[in-house]
Amino acid sequence: MPNDDRIQLTKDLYEAYTSGDRKFYEDHLSDDFTFSSPADVGLDKAGYFEKCWPGAGQGGKFDYVRLIESGSEVVVTYESTAADGSKGRNTEIVGFSGNNISSVEVYFGWSIAT
């Protein structure tokens, strides 16, 4: 997969989350997908949808500070603005297996004063 495609697919992943587009996730997550954050380490695909997906579809936006492809991963640092106006900053690593997203690792950042 060309570099721009992985970076674009990563951006599309975040946009699909804010809009609640579960079909995008169903179409692009690998069967062996894993999600890890300090709060939830090693969730499988079903666990991700159970624990994390309820927060999807609430609007907001992402401003990308960095999008760096390294091997089969894209490192993303973003500043997010939630629908309620609260802001935060995180870094995540999105892993790919072929054309599918195989993992997401979340490293929590901090809140940003509004």
Side-chain angles (χ1 to χ4, degrees):
M1 177 179 283
N3 293 358
D4 290 344
D5 291 349
R6 281 195 177 134
I7 288 173
Q8 185 59 54
L9 187 57
T10 299
K11 288 179 177 180
D12 293 345
L13 180 77
Y14 292 98
E15 299 308 316
Y17 186 82
T18 61
S19 70
D21 183 357
R22 183 165 171 153
K23 182 171 178 1
F24 177 89
Y25 274 69
E26 295 285 357
D27 290 347
H28 291 92
L29 299 185
S30 66
D31 291 337
D32 61 347
F33 173 79
T34 59
F35 176 89
S36 294
S37 75
D40 297 297
V41 178
L43 294 177
D44 63 7
K45 192 174 183 178
Y48 171 79
F49 282 118
E50 179 183 327
K51 292 193 84 176
C52 303
W53 191 256
Q58 298 180 19
K61 72 175 208 162
F62 291 94
D63 293 313
Y64 301 103
V65 175
R66 66 181 63 89
L67 288 155
I68 303 166
E69 186 166 3
S70 177
S72 62
E73 299 175 327
V74 174
V75 178
V76 183
T77 300
Y78 59 80
E79 293 181 354
S80 61
T81 305
D84 68 3
S86 61
K87 296 183 178 189
R89 181 178 173 120
N90 286 344
T91 294
E92 302 186 7
I93 300 171
V94 179
F96 289 83
S97 177
N99 293 329
N100 292 318
I101 297 164
S102 59
S103 63
V104 174
E105 297 175 17
V106 178
Y107 299 92
F108 293 144
W110 50 85
S111 296
I112 299 173
T114 57

